[in-house]
Amino acid sequence: MKNANSSLAFLPTTFVLVGIPGLEAEHTWTPILFCLLYFIIFLGNGTILHVIRTDTALHQPMYFFLAMLALAEVGVSASTLPTVLGVFLLGATEIGFDACLLQMFSIHSFSITESAVLLAMSVDRFVAICNPLRYTAILTAPRICGAGAIIGLRSIILMAPLPMLLRRLPFCGHNTLSHSYCLHPNLIHLPCGDISGNNIYGLFIVSSTFGLDSLLIVVSYGLILHTVLSITTGVGRRKALSTCGSHVCAVLAYYVPMIGLSMVHRFGHRAPPWVPTTMASAYLFFPSIVNPIVYSIKTKDICRGIARMLSEKRARV
């Protein structure tokens, strides 16, 4: 039996990607939808980055972290773009084994980075509200740069073992994925060998990043609420809470689709095949679309920066 299994085991040269199972008849409009989504993502986040870079009034800790968030969201979208548009526009349903592992590494690394940046932004709001007099002394430029470097290194170091763990597993003829991009929760179901080590390490990554980050965000907002409730005037409370509104929306836009996707994977075994695919797309695309819109509308400094940029372009024309 061992020899038979060994003869069946192989390392696939390619994986087969799929579109949206059950909605193949609608694939005529799906490419238009995804092109529109990518256009909104790159335009929105690119505008945020350009405004923060060119407007010196926005060279503050809060907006530096917002720039990091926009970069992470652009990274997630850029990682999925080649295969998503390849599947829906060109019908290119195959991806090389190493290219798939690289895409998986890139998507998850940028997602972990995004989660860590949201935590850093909650710390920024905590310091701004709970210790405003020392805000600029605590969140200095070197510390912000150091935080950005640590966030990036954490994502890379934690994700680096996963491709190597996948390469050591046998694939017994299974190479069809459930999405138009490579994700670890999908890839881990294809090998026919013992995947306990991969599952344990995957659980460690999830708990030490998304789990820990979300817990610390909740703690920081608990402390923020405690401080806000101690403010005697209603105007002061509203002003303090208004500075957190955009960040709360960003946190919800990131974690709600993630929780929904986890629930579908765990309890939605009887759901139609398109449901987990749609939830995975919502998890990857929704924050990148919503956050630039929310920050452009709810943050006055960003609004003024965008208005100034547009007026300067009109003046040149």
Side-chain angles (χ1 to χ4, degrees), residues 40 49 74 260 274 302 304:
I40 294 171
L49 288 168
V74 168
W274 58 267
I302 295 291
R304 282 194 289 265

Side-chain angles (χ1 to χ4, degrees), residues 149-167:
I150 291 171
I151 288 170
L153 284 173
R154 182 185 79 155
S155 303
I156 293 170
I157 291 171
L158 284 174
M159 278 302 301
L162 276 186
M164 293 181 284
L165 288 172
L166 280 169
R167 287 191 67 87

Side-chain angles (χ1 to χ4, degrees), residues 46-69:
T47 300
I48 293 290
L49 288 168
H50 178 72
V51 168
I52 293 174
R53 184 180 68 84
T54 57
D55 192 338
T56 55
L58 299 179
H59 291 179
Q60 302 173 34
M62 173 183 175
Y63 301 111
F64 289 143
F65 287 126
L66 177 57
M68 293 181 197
L69 183 66

Side-chain angles (χ1 to χ4, degrees), residues 40-41 44-45 48 73 287-297:
I40 294 171
I41 289 169
N45 287 285
I48 293 290
E73 289 169 348
S288 303
I289 294 171
V290 169
N291 288 341
I293 297 173
V294 168
Y295 275 97
S296 298
I297 294 173

